[in-house]
Amino acid sequence: MTDVTGVPASADVLRTLFHSEQGGHEQVVICQDRASGLKAVIALHSTALGPALGGTRFYPYASEEEAVADALNLARGMSYKNAMAGLDHGGGKAVIIGDPDAIEAGQKAELLLAYGRFVASLGGRYVTACDVGTYVADMDVVARECRWTTGRSPENGGAGDSSVLTAFGVFQGMRASAQHLWGDPTLCGRTVGVAGVGKVGHHLVEHLLSDGAEVVVTDVREESVRRITDRHPEVTVAADTDALIRTEGLDIYAPCALGGALNDESVPVLTAKVVCGAANNQLAHPGVEKDLADRSVLYAPDYVVNAGGVIQVADELHGFDFDRCKAKAAKIFDTTLAIFARAKLDGIPPAAAADRIAEQRMADARRR
Ligand SMILES: NC(=O)c1ccc[n+]([C@@H]2O[C@H](COP(=O)([O-])OP(=O)(O)OC[C@H]3O[C@@H](n4cnc5c(N)ncnc54)[C@H](O)[C@@H]3O)[C@@H](O)[C@H]2O)c1
């Protein structure tokens, strides 16, 4: 979405919730379990298309207001992502307040079990999954108390790591961008810069190399870069993201690290003609999508191209089937092309076109 950063971290949250465009959430649950120390927020933005689906962020928020604001923003983002992915799911998200790395294992398990009981109390209106700070092993614990838990390990009936299909989906978004801009989906001979070669980024690099692209990478972790260059010495390494985005002759920039990659500093110096990557919330603030369009940079909206992961966790509810999921993630190619076509037709940036299409799907579902 273009305006995910709009919810204030203060007592204004309630006013925002009921009266602003960033609000409109159906339900917000504040959870407290004194025995385990759990403090969590579950936000359901919309169940128009089906049960709200979205991950659990475990993060040391500076304040409870900040946690509520983050849950609201993230839940709304999931409504759009799920709608665009063609899933019969609305948007929801949960945040657990705390530092997952500073908590002792036994206490963490108690906390996750208490969290699972809260999710279960919603009776299936919210389906949870992993997010920043929570892992497959954590979802296995949550699942002991709650059947509406995805992101579990294969031993527990889950699909495991979602980064494989997320990378595959981003690759499809890139192929669609190439088709739209250059009339051919192949990335052969194109130069692609990948910033962040962690779980998703390194799978993406493999797809790009298989398709014949020239690849430039950067990462703040040396081990992540070495994992790539040991296998593929032909890959070029940029000193940092700033150097990568200024690389002469770069065709595509793939932000695959943190949010906010597209901002007032980075957009003016991009050499790439396309931005398409896995990171969530790439647009640092509303208006950046217009700055990209003004510079004739084609932006493949983040929540459209990185939906492979949520497609995977949604499938877990029906007994995970990798090939079925891959076929759904392959549709990201057509969805991305449809967004570019709509953007051209309406004379708006692709990010705004994606929002319109997602909002339409939710509105149609509400009318039925
Ligand atoms: N894993 C998924 O299935 C999935 C699904 C949808 C969206 N995403 C998003 O994609 C992004 C990457 O996810 P991931 O699972 O690969 O995470 P990850 O933590 O495995 O990888 C991120 C990589 O970025 C690097 N990094 C951090 N800051 C950086 C910086 N300033 N410059 C360069 N590199 C930096 C890290 O060292 C790490 O190697 C995240 O924004 C995530 O929210 C992931």
Side-chain angles (χ1 to χ4, degrees), residues 162-163 166 196 198-200 219-221 224 241 256-258 278-280 306:
S162 60
S163 59
T166 301
K199 292 192 290 292
V200 179
D219 197 294
V220 287
R221 292 176 68 227
S224 301
T241 301
C256 294
L258 307 176
N280 280 311
N306 72 13

Side-chain angles (χ1 to χ4, degrees), residues 233-282:
E234 71 275 25
V235 167
T236 309
V237 180
D240 53 26
T241 301
D242 187 54
L244 180 130
I245 63 174
R246 293 171 186 265
T247 302
E248 285 284 312
L250 198 67
D251 293 303
I252 302 176
Y253 166 40
C256 294
L258 307 176
L262 301 170
N263 53 49
D264 297 339
E265 283 73 45
S266 63
V267 171
V269 299
L270 290 179
T271 53
K273 287 277 164 260
V274 173
V275 177
C276 177
N280 280 311
N281 301 336
Q282 289 170 31

Side-chain angles (χ1 to χ4, degrees), residues 137-318:
D138 297 329
M139 289 306 120
D140 283 349
V141 177
V142 174
R144 278 158 49 194
E145 291 285 358
C146 174
R147 52 190 272 229
W148 294 285
T149 307
T150 65
R152 290 163 285 145
S153 65
E155 301 75 48
N156 267 304
D161 180 13
S162 60
S163 59
V164 174
L165 280 180
T166 301
F168 176 70
V170 173
F171 180 59
Q172 298 310 319
M174 249 182 223
R175 292 178 64 251
S177 305
Q179 171 73 52
H180 179 81
L181 205 57
W182 299 304
D184 191 333
T186 184
L187 300 168
C188 186
R190 300 285 169 202
T191 303
V192 184
V194 183
V197 280
K199 292 192 290 292
V200 179
H202 95 273
H203 288 301
L204 180 61
V205 169
E206 297 290 343
H207 287 297
L208 292 167
L209 292 172
S210 303
D211 204 25
E214 307 279 326
V215 177
V216 186
V217 301
T218 192
D219 197 294
V220 287
R221 292 176 68 227
E222 243 176 67
E223 317 87 84
S224 301
V225 172
R226 213 174 313 116
R227 177 169 54 164
I228 304 265
T229 50
D230 282 355
R231 264 175 72 95
H232 303 289
E234 71 275 25
V235 167
T236 309
V237 180
D240 53 26
T241 301
D242 187 54
L244 180 130
I245 63 174
R246 293 171 186 265
T247 302
E248 285 284 312
L250 198 67
D251 293 303
I252 302 176
Y253 166 40
C256 294
L258 307 176
L262 301 170
N263 53 49
D264 297 339
E265 283 73 45
S266 63
V267 171
V269 299
L270 290 179
T271 53
K273 287 277 164 260
V274 173
V275 177
C276 177
N280 280 311
N281 301 336
Q282 289 170 31
L283 302 171
H285 59 79
V288 178
E289 73 286 358
K290 291 191 195 73
D291 299 338
L292 287 162
D294 289 347
R295 288 209 56 222
S296 301
V297 176
L298 183 68
Y299 172 61
D302 47 13
Y303 71 83
V304 177
V305 301
N306 72 13
V310 80
I311 289 170
Q312 173 168 321
V313 296
D315 199 72
E316 263 188 59
L317 296 169
H318 312 285

Side-chain angles (χ1 to χ4, degrees), residues 48-49 360-368:
L49 289 166
Q360 189 63 55
R361 188 167 179 239
M362 287 186 265
D364 289 349
R366 267 184 227 108
R367 272 195 288 275
R368 278 202 297 273

